[in-house]
Each structure stands twice: as structure tokens, then as C-alpha cells.
Amino acid sequence: MATLKKAKGPSMIETFQEFKETKNIDRTTLVSVLEESFRNVIAKMFGSDENYDVIVNPDKGDFEIHRNRIVVADGEVQDENKEIALSEAQKIEPDYEIGEEVSEEVEFQKFGRRAILNLRQTLASKILELEHDSLYQKYKDKVGQIVSAEVYQIWKREVLLIDDEGNELHLPKGEQIPADNYHKGETIRAIVKEVQNENNNPRIILSRTSNQFLERLLEAEVPEINDGLITIRRIARMPGERAKVAVESYDDRIDPVGACVGVRGSRVHGIVREMCNENIDVINFSNNTQLFIQRALSPAKVTSITLNPEEHKAEVYLQPEEVSLAIGKGGLNIKLASMLTEYTIDVFRVVNENEADEDIYLDEFADEIDQWIIDSIKAIGLDTAKSVLKAPREMLIEKADLEEETVDHVIEVLKAEFE
């Protein structure tokens, strides 16, 4: 065996030590790469490696290189790499004859410092390529799954995390829940959204805002989902604020909503905390579009619905006191209902003839007027639509500190309600 301790220049012991401990690469592949790297160096030096035998033992950190040459008559050697003169061969073994093959061990160190450096560079390149391939395949198979990783670095546009094998994972700002607040060294959970592989340089992208993240959390928390007794049909999320989940059970004995929520919300409490107190509404899915829209607008009680299936639009009629519930704070409830049902939902108030002159609270216009505008108007003592319409336009501009265009839009929306 070639002794590595005699190596000069770059340490061959260090070379093997580096690569035998390489993560994610099996022994057979590592041996193959080491042999190939030796052969590449030999081929560069002598033009061919076909007459060399290379045996590598990465576990012990040693190797053997044997050069095989044909014995020719003295003075007839044309290629010293592949041929050996009879007199030289007989110095090795006296009974060698012309035409026989001589196999002798070669010390790689004698190839010189440049050869050793070349070997290290070749090995480093090939091992890095193998590590990248291994990392890509590992996380490609984990797309859509939840992983845990440690926060390593926090930047403005993303958070860099490290998994338990030291691999880098990326959580971009757009994939973070707005209320997320990270600290170096803490462990967080996220879903593997995608694995990019430009120029064989894997980049693992995580997400906490993906619908799949909520889906996987529910699967982990609700055994009936994991066992296939309950199916998650659709999810709509406004990350960190609120989510609606439509579930279905094919077993009449199982209440899918109750199973998902748990006793006193026990099964969703952990998920809500994980998602920065994002409220989760669980409803029963239905192929009946009207019924599904009605459920999606919960907690509001719908009076009637008119559908336009071709344009995926729905006109929903509610009693005045139910409108604000259907719309929700900042229009959040109706936005999520539209996302969940895949229908554009327009809300209309049911007004009886003897109630035609009734006023309407400003909060009920949150689907058409931004909440901050409503709050600015309410701050100067105007809470209803008619009180705003009776107020001077200049007062709304000055006291509520609103742009002229904004005030004109508010007046237009409110007038339309009473026309």
C-alpha cells in the first residue's frame, strides 16, 4: 500500500480525510469518484490511464496505484509509460522475458506537487457536484412536506436556515407570515415550496404562507385526515389573519368539522399559535354551489343567492344586520369566501318598503371603501351613510384629512346605495 505519511506538499492524508467524511454520499460512489479522480490526473500526465490499476480504500485513507508495462528488448522502448526495457524489468524480477507484462506499484507522491494539487482540485469539484446532486434529490422528494430548521441568519429579504445536516434553506420575505418574528438559533417549521437547481447549485425555498403549510399542519393534528377518513377539499388563506378550510367526510358517522376543530378547539389551537394567531374557520364542503357559498360566508346568515355559473358570480342577499358579518373586518370574510368558492360574491341588503328610509352604518361598506377611510370619517363623528351624505364635502376633506378624489368616491358609493 502507498504510505500517505511520506507525502510532501499538500497532505494526502488531509485529502482523504476531507472526502471520506463527505455527507450524503455513499461509500461505493465515493470510491468510484476517488478512482476516477486519480485516473484523470494520470491521464493528464501520460496521455492515457488504460495501463494503470487504481485501488482506493477511503475508510483507511490509503490507496494503491499499479502501472502495467510490456517488456521489450533493450533499446526498443518507444513509450516509457507503457513499455519497459528487458534489463530494467529483470532488475525487478530476474525471470522476466520479452512480451511479458510487468506490474509495479507507483508512488503518487513522485508525480509531484502539481499532480497532488490537481488531484485535490478534481476531487473537490466532483464531490461538490455529487453533494449538490444529493441535496437536490433529497429536497426534491420533500416538496410539499413540512421541515424543521434552525434560524442561522436574518436578512431584510429572507431568512437563512440550516437543517440538521448543515444544508442551507431559504425563507423569502414573501413566504413569511407578516407577524413572524425570528431569532437566531430558534427552530421553525415551514413547507418545502420548491427546489431550484440553476447551474447544479440547489436552492431550497421554504414557505409558511402556502395553503399546503396549513394543510400539512392539519394532517399532523387530525388523525382522521391522515387516515383518509376526512378530505381537505379547499383552503383559502390571508396569512397571519384568517383562513377558511372546507372539509368533507365520506363516512356519515364522522363530523368532519367537529373532528378538525376538536373538543373546545383543542386540535386547532396549536396550529393557530404556529401561524401567529391566524383564525381558522372550518366548514363542510358541498358540491351544491349555493349551499357552499352560504357556508363560506359564515357566521353571516344568507337570505337568498342568485348564481351566474358562466361568469362564476354570485349575488347574495342578506338582512341589514347580517351584512357586516358577511363582509367582515376590512372585507376579509367576503374575500376569503370568494377565494374558497371560486366565485365573485356581491352582497346586497334586503330592505322592506317600510324600512326604505333606514340609515346604514359605514362599516357595512367595507367591501367598497377601505377600512382606514371609514375609520377617518368615523373619527369626526359620522357613523352612518346618511350622516356622511348630509355633511359638507369640504368638511370631509379638511376634518377627516382625506383627498378630494377619496371623498368623491365615498359619496358616490353611499349615494348608489340609496338610489
Side-chain angles (χ1 to χ4, degrees):
M1 283 283 180
T3 171
L4 302 184
K5 294 181 181 179
K6 294 180 181 179
K8 296 181 180 180
S11 172
M12 292 297 290
I13 293 178
E14 290 177 4
T15 298
F16 275 84
Q17 190 66 26
E18 285 178 27
F19 301 120
K20 80 173 187 176
E21 295 176 356
T22 300
K23 61 192 175 188
N24 300 330
I25 299 177
D26 61 87
R27 185 184 183 282
T28 302
T29 303
L30 184 58
V31 169
S32 175
V33 167
L34 289 167
E35 289 181 1
E36 184 183 350
S37 298
F38 273 109
R39 289 190 173 279
N40 284 343
V41 174
I42 292 169
K44 286 181 180 179
M45 294 182 65
F46 301 106
S48 172
D49 66 309
E50 62 184 17
N51 60 313
Y52 283 83
D53 294 326
V54 179
I55 303 170
V56 175
N57 185 348
D59 296 331
K60 294 182 179 180
D62 57 22
F63 63 97
E64 291 180 4
I65 299 178
H66 293 271
R67 177 167 60 175
N68 305 310
R69 294 188 288 178
I70 301 298
V71 179
V72 297
D74 289 356
E76 295 185 7
V77 175
Q78 296 181 353
D79 185 347
E80 292 186 356
N81 183 45
K82 295 183 179 180
E83 298 172 337
I84 183 172
L86 178 62
S87 58
E88 291 296 319
Q90 289 178 342
K91 289 179 182 179
I92 300 172
E93 290 289 343
D95 54 353
Y96 273 127
E97 296 180 0
I98 293 174
E100 289 186 331
E101 185 177 75
V102 175
S103 180
E104 57 182 327
E105 186 175 339
V106 179
E107 288 190 18
F108 188 80
Q109 289 76 12
K110 291 183 178 180
F111 290 162
R113 179 183 177 85
R114 179 173 294 180
I116 296 174
L117 283 172
N118 194 350
L119 174 66
R120 289 179 63 84
Q121 291 171 356
T122 303
L123 279 173
S125 176
K126 288 186 175 295
I127 294 298
L128 184 62
E129 184 179 335
L130 282 172
E131 284 187 342
H132 285 177
D133 286 342
S134 176
L135 179 61
Y136 175 73
Q137 292 300 328
K138 173 184 177 180
Y139 275 95
K140 184 182 177 183
D141 293 338
K142 287 188 175 183
V143 170
Q145 296 181 21
I146 288 179
V147 295
S148 296
E150 181 181 310
V151 175
Y152 182 73
Q153 194 74 44
I154 303 169
W155 295 311
K156 186 175 181 180
R157 294 186 176 181
E158 71 173 17
V159 173
L160 178 66
L161 302 106
I162 302 294
D163 68 8
D164 54 6
E165 293 179 347
N167 298 309
E168 294 184 353
L169 314 177
H170 302 265
L171 181 61
K173 189 70 175 178
E175 303 298 335
Q176 300 171 26
I177 296 173
D180 278 338
N181 187 20
Y182 303 113
H183 302 280
K184 187 173 181 178
E186 74 172 320
T187 300
I188 65 171
R189 291 195 292 173
I191 199 168
V192 180
K193 182 181 180 181
E194 64 175 315
V195 181
Q196 301 168 352
N197 197 30
E198 187 175 347
N199 298 322
N200 194 34
N201 187 22
R203 180 178 171 87
I204 296 93
I205 307 297
L206 305 183
S207 175
R208 284 171 53 81
T209 60
S210 166
N211 287 349
Q212 273 195 318
F213 183 52
L214 174 53
E215 185 175 350
R216 295 293 174 265
L217 290 173
L218 283 166
E219 287 176 355
E221 198 67 36
V222 183
E224 290 87 346
I225 295 178
N226 194 45
D227 294 340
L229 299 174
I230 294 175
T231 302
I232 298 174
R233 294 298 299 268
R234 291 184 191 174
I235 292 178
R237 282 185 72 191
M238 297 296 284
E241 295 187 58
R242 192 171 175 182
K244 287 182 181 286
V245 182
V247 294
E248 186 176 25
S249 172
Y250 300 107
D251 189 334
D252 293 337
R253 295 170 296 179
I254 297 176
D255 171 19
V257 173
C260 291
V261 174
V263 179
R264 296 179 183 175
S266 58
R267 288 182 170 178
V268 296
H269 279 166
I271 299 174
V272 169
R273 286 193 299 271
E274 176 72 55
M275 300 194 304
C276 301
N277 295 321
E278 183 175 317
N279 291 322
I280 302 173
D281 299 336
V282 183
I283 66 169
N284 281 307
F285 176 80
S286 176
N287 287 314
N288 182 319
T289 305
Q290 288 196 2
L291 179 58
F292 189 37
I293 292 174
Q294 181 178 323
R295 290 171 176 172
L297 285 170
S298 175
K301 295 178 180 179
V302 176
T303 300
S304 63
I305 299 176
T306 301
L307 294 180
N308 183 343
E310 293 181 0
E311 298 182 12
H312 271 239
K313 290 184 177 181
E315 294 181 354
V316 178
Y317 297 87
L318 307 99
Q319 295 299 322
E321 66 273 14
E322 298 293 329
V323 172
S324 59
L325 288 175
I327 294 171
K329 185 178 180 181
L332 192 59
N333 195 58
I334 195 169
K335 286 178 186 176
L336 287 172
S338 294
M339 291 165 61
L340 192 72
T341 61
E342 298 175 356
Y343 265 72
T344 300
I345 301 174
D346 293 321
V347 171
F348 297 89
R349 299 162 187 82
V350 177
V351 181
N352 298 326
E353 291 183 7
N354 58 350
E355 296 175 342
D357 293 331
E358 281 191 1
D359 205 348
I360 303 169
Y361 285 108
L362 286 182
D363 287 327
E364 295 187 20
F365 293 90
D367 57 331
E368 299 176 85
I369 301 173
D370 290 341
Q371 188 64 45
W372 69 270
I373 297 174
I374 293 174
D375 292 340
S376 297
I377 297 173
K378 288 168 65 178
I380 63 173
L382 304 177
D383 296 325
T384 66
K386 288 186 177 180
S387 66
V388 174
L389 291 174
K390 290 178 182 178
R393 177 174 177 272
E394 291 73 18
M395 185 184 82
L396 295 172
I397 296 171
E398 294 176 10
K399 290 192 175 181
D401 194 22
L402 297 172
E403 297 289 337
E404 291 187 18
E405 294 82 358
T406 302
V407 171
D408 290 340
H409 171 68
V410 170
I411 293 172
E412 182 182 345
V413 170
L414 300 183
K415 278 185 176 179
E417 185 61 32
F418 296 102
E419 290 177 353

